[in-house]
Amino acid sequence: MSSEEAINEKAHIREREEKPRPDEERQEHHSNFVNNFQARIQNPLYGISREDLLKQVEEFTRAHGMEEKTELFKKGALLAQSPAAFEEIPELTEEDRVTIRRETTHKWTQPRALYWTVIICSLAAAVQGWDQTGSNGANLLFPQEFGLTSEAGNPNAEKNEWIVGIINAGPYLASCFVGCWLTDPLNHYLGRRGTLFFCGIFCIFSVIGQALAQTWEQLFVCRLLLGLGMGPKATTSPVFAAENVPANIRGGLVMSWQLWTAFGILLGSSANLALQGTGKIAWRLELGSAFLPAVPLTIGIFFCPESPRWLMKKGRYNKAFRSFVRLRNSELQAARDMFYVHRQLVEEFAVLRGSTYVSRFVELFTIPRVRRATLASWVVMLAQQMCGINAIAFYSSTIFFNAGYSTRDALLASWGFGMVNWLFAFPAVWTIDTFGRRNLLLFTFPNMAWTLLATGFCFYIPESNAARVPLIALFIFLFAAFYSPGEGPVPFTYSAEVFPLTHREMGMSWAVATCLFWAAVLSLTFPRLLSAFGSVGAFGFYAGLNIAALIMIFFLMPETKQRTLEELDYVFAVSTGQHASYQLKEFLPYWVRRWVFFDKKAQLKPLYNFDEVESITVFEKGAAH
């Protein structure tokens, strides 16, 4: 019996031992979880009487050998059931209440272990950014080294453009077709930490191999091997952070993936600029330098606590509690979060039965709740490539060179792009949990569209005009400034949240494979697109894709801000049609009234109804529930 099957069996045994809810109430609860027609967001402890809840806690601690923690878990369970009414829970001491109040008043005060986890995940992101930027500078030199130039009149120009494109696309091709899909088995057997160690090894030695390549074929193979590390790393790191971080600051910390990917791009651009004077070997050093951040990632991962949710999924509850204690400010918070996750696991395993690799993949498209998360993550990941950011991240040096810059100035302008991309990612640390993931995208996509269109039109300015080059750079920098706090951090943060624990690795594999597949398509086709359409046509094409992405996000992407990972089960049980209809009939008219006509009295009817058990009600009604 597999570990997941074992936890399934334990969950069913415990449910039989515990006093069940009425059949019709349980049926309604599971129905809401899979198809949430009433848009109710339901606490997994909803509808359980105080007496039954405390009995469940006793069974829980007995089943997992934690009897000495029974009283602690009772307080944690009562708190998890009625988080807004913690002041009225008599079992809590004043010290307990102070701790819970500080979750709101001092939400950024977190244990070192939690921040260390975020730092390691940030290092993983920096490796990702540096890896993709090394090729940006190397594109100016390695084609000459391997006879892949595409000057006018060269009979092999078109063929060489495709070869350069496929070399740049190599890591993304390997990631989307192989690397991302290794995530599920790697996480199953190695855990989150072991998977990141595996990725670190590939990210060290493959980039060194790129620097030593003697033919373009060897360079291509090394870049394919790099993709075997990039795929599981990009998939696991945001999940690892999302599972360890409390809901009220999850967006701000998990979005560090984008913040430090942007920092990695800046570091790579800095390395390209610093190494541009080293002659013919500059491209080798630019590609090989990306191993530097991979070394502390590979070593530092062993000092992080393993994801407690992953440990619970594997049935290792005692280790999970120790991990939660390291990641929270008090044992009460650890007990609350652990019991809450446990109850949701019982609900998930009762409904979502995927236990094999193939069945979990199939269920991404067959179980309504999971299918909606699959669609939303696909939209937001596809949109990241549709917006055109990686056309600039991969080829900015080439774009600036074509605009009239010298090689050195093109690298300097690329460094400026990297700096803007990084600096403007910082505001998202606060805005992503304040304005929300969806609202950030609805704001940034129109602005990315017009800045790309303006960039393209600037290529109509005659080369003799001194304003041509600065204006092209200005609008590219403005594009990066709009991208970084919006579409930059949202996709990986969002995709790491939206899948249930039973399908989280497989779902994130799907999301990242989507992102990297289209990154590969973009990397492969952009040299030829630039040649065929010209700079004006290429930028105009991506401006149009931004508008298409905006429409998809508006209708197909639910909001997830400040919801626990478990509450999101109910958000994504609302049908796609119901969500899209709400946006068209409720949200859009409200937005026009409020922000076009500035009607301050305009009110937006909420889509979701949150069912939370009030503590006093439970205490008074007791078993009446």
Side-chain angles (χ1 to χ4, degrees):
M1 180 182 291
S2 70
S3 56
E4 287 181 74
E5 291 171 338
I7 194 173
N8 265 328
E9 184 63 26
K10 289 180 181 178
H12 295 314
I13 290 172
R14 283 194 297 275
E15 283 197 292
R16 287 195 297 268
E17 291 174 347
E18 295 165 359
K19 181 179 178 180
R21 305 172 196 166
D23 291 340
E24 61 274 12
E25 187 173 350
R26 181 172 296 279
Q27 183 178 2
E28 179 193 15
H29 185 72
H30 285 169
S31 176
N32 287 339
F33 176 67
V34 179
N35 286 294
N36 194 355
F37 299 111
Q38 296 178 334
R40 291 165 59 188
I41 299 176
Q42 212 169 57
N43 187 316
L45 304 178
Y46 176 78
I48 304 176
S49 71
R50 173 186 170 84
E51 179 184 355
D52 287 345
L53 180 63
L54 297 182
K55 285 182 180 179
Q56 287 183 13
V57 172
E58 292 173 358
E59 293 292 337
F60 168 79
T61 55
R62 188 181 308 119
H64 299 291
M66 294 189 289
E67 290 92 337
E68 74 282 1
K69 300 289 185 182
T70 299
E71 294 305 315
L72 175 67
F73 273 97
K74 284 182 178 179
K75 291 197 293 185
L78 292 169
L79 181 59
Q81 187 185 56
S82 307
F86 69 90
E87 298 284 3
E88 286 80 35
I89 299 176
E91 284 82 358
L92 298 184
T93 66
E94 182 57 29
E95 183 180 354
D96 293 333
R97 294 189 177 93
V98 169
T99 299
I100 302 306
R101 291 186 200 115
R102 286 178 62 87
E103 289 184 327
T104 301
T105 60
H106 296 74
K107 67 178 184 178
W108 295 103
T109 302
Q110 300 293 336
R112 291 181 181 179
L114 188 144
Y115 280 115
W116 181 250
T117 299
V118 174
I119 288 170
I120 291 300
C121 292
S122 301
L123 266 177
V127 173
Q128 198 92 351
W130 199 328
D131 283 333
Q132 71 184 45
T133 312
S135 63
N136 190 329
N139 284 330
L140 298 176
L141 293 173
F142 83 78
Q144 287 81 5
E145 175 92 7
F146 298 135
L148 300 175
T149 56
S150 56
E151 296 93 346
N154 184 342
N156 294 320
E158 184 175 340
K159 175 185 175 182
N160 290 344
E161 287 171 351
W162 286 110
I163 292 175
V164 170
I166 200 168
I167 289 172
N168 281 308
Y172 309 101
L173 290 170
S175 291
C176 69
F177 288 117
V178 181
C180 289
W181 303 107
L182 291 175
T183 302
D184 192 284
L186 285 173
N187 276 270
H188 179 78
Y189 292 108
L190 304 179
R192 313 293 190 230
R193 298 192 312 166
T195 299
L196 290 178
F197 176 80
F198 169 89
C199 296
I201 295 298
F202 272 85
C203 290
I204 291 172
F205 292 104
S206 61
V207 295
I208 294 175
Q210 291 180 73
L212 300 176
Q214 299 302 307
T215 65
W216 74 261
E217 291 88 352
Q218 291 177 8
L219 177 60
F220 179 58
V221 169
C222 288
R223 287 184 66 75
L224 288 176
L225 292 174
L226 175 60
L228 298 183
M230 286 176 61
K233 173 165 58 65
T235 304
T236 302
S237 294
V239 169
F240 187 36
E243 290 183 340
N244 285 3
V245 174
N248 62 331
I249 58 170
R250 187 177 64 241
L253 291 183
V254 178
M255 65 75 52
S256 62
W257 173 264
Q258 165 58 22
L259 178 66
W260 298 107
T261 297
F263 184 65
I265 291 173
L266 176 62
L267 289 177
S269 300
S270 300
N272 292 344
L273 188 61
L275 296 168
Q276 61 91 27
T278 56
K280 292 183 177 180
I281 65 167
W283 69 270
R284 297 183 181 276
L285 297 176
E286 289 166 355
L287 288 174
S289 61
F291 89 94
L292 292 172
V295 173
L297 164 67
T298 307
I299 297 172
I301 189 62
F302 287 102
F303 296 95
C304 293
E306 182 56 273
S307 163
R309 284 176 168 87
W310 180 84
L311 290 168
M312 292 174 70
K313 181 181 175 182
K314 307 299 285 186
R316 304 172 190 173
Y317 274 64
N318 281 278
K319 287 185 178 180
F321 181 67
R322 291 196 294 271
S323 185
F324 260 128
V325 169
R326 291 183 64 187
L327 294 165
R328 298 294 183 264
N329 286 315
S330 70
E331 285 196 342
L332 174 62
Q333 292 164 305
R336 175 199 62 190
D337 292 353
M338 183 170 176
F339 189 75
Y340 189 93
V341 173
H342 160 73
R343 287 304 311 174
Q344 190 66 23
L345 271 176
V346 171
E347 298 289 348
E348 287 184 8
F349 280 122
V351 180
L352 309 176
R353 296 291 186 169
S355 59
T356 68
Y357 188 83
V358 175
S359 66
R360 282 195 297 275
F361 177 78
V362 171
E363 287 173 353
L364 291 182
F365 309 96
T366 56
I367 295 177
R369 178 264 180 267
V370 185
R371 184 176 64 241
R372 292 167 195 129
T374 301
L375 175 63
S377 65
W378 178 81
V379 166
V380 76
M381 284 295 195
L382 176 61
Q384 189 173 66
Q385 302 308 319
M386 291 173 72
C387 78
I389 185 65
N390 281 332
I392 300 172
F394 298 161
Y395 292 104
S396 61
S397 297
T398 303
I399 291 168
F400 287 124
F401 186 79
N402 291 344
Y405 279 79
S406 66
T407 299
R408 180 181 179 281
D409 288 345
L411 290 171
L412 185 61
S414 292
W415 180 87
F417 166 78
M419 176 63 78
V420 171
N421 191 30
W422 181 55
L423 289 178
F424 279 86
F426 276 97
V429 174
W430 295 275
T431 58
I432 197 169
D433 281 320
T434 303
F435 297 110
R437 288 74 160 141
R438 173 186 162 85
N439 288 337
L440 282 177
L441 299 191
L442 294 178
F443 169 76
T444 55
F445 267 92
N447 287 294
M448 289 191 291
W450 76 258
T451 50
L452 281 183
L453 198 60
T455 302
F457 286 160
C458 284
F459 280 89
Y460 281 128
I461 300 173
E463 292 187 17
S464 58
N465 192 319
R468 169 188 165 97
V469 173
L471 282 174
I472 290 172
L474 171 65
F475 286 115
I476 286 178
F477 290 171
L478 283 174
F479 168 79
F482 284 118
Y483 166 85
S484 290
E487 181 60 12
V490 169
F492 281 85
T493 303
Y494 189 83
S495 299
E497 299 171 331
V498 297
F499 293 97
L501 183 56
T502 50
H503 293 69
R504 193 160 292 156
E505 298 94 336
M506 182 61 71
M508 193 61 179
S509 297
W510 157 263
V512 177
T514 297
C515 180
L516 296 183
F517 171 77
W518 291 105
V521 170
L522 185 151
S523 184
L524 177 63
T525 59
F526 191 74
R528 186 61 194 147
L529 181 72
L530 201 59
S531 177
F533 286 8
S535 297
V536 177
F539 280 101
F541 174 73
Y542 280 104
L545 289 184
N546 272 271
I547 300 302
L550 174 68
I551 295 170
M552 293 167 62
I553 288 165
F554 181 80
F555 286 107
L556 301 175
M557 180 185 167
E559 182 57 79
T560 62
K561 72 168 183 174
Q562 295 188 356
R563 292 293 181 199
T564 68
L565 298 181
E566 289 68 39
E567 287 169 358
L568 293 179
D569 282 334
Y570 297 97
V571 171
F572 284 93
V574 174
S575 72
T576 303
Q578 185 177 354
H579 179 271
S581 176
Y582 172 84
Q583 305 309 320
L584 185 63
K585 296 178 181 179
E586 299 289 344
F587 181 82
L588 187 59
Y590 160 79
W591 189 88
V592 171
R593 287 182 58 192
R594 180 66 184 87
W595 301 108
V596 176
F597 297 107
F598 297 101
D599 180 3
K600 294 182 179 181
K601 296 181 179 179
Q603 292 185 344
L604 178 63
K605 178 183 176 182
L607 172 59
Y608 306 111
N609 303 302
F610 182 64
D611 286 337
E612 181 178 307
V613 182
E614 294 293 338
S615 300
I616 295 178
T617 301
V618 175
F619 295 159
E620 290 176 350
K621 292 187 177 181
H625 274 287

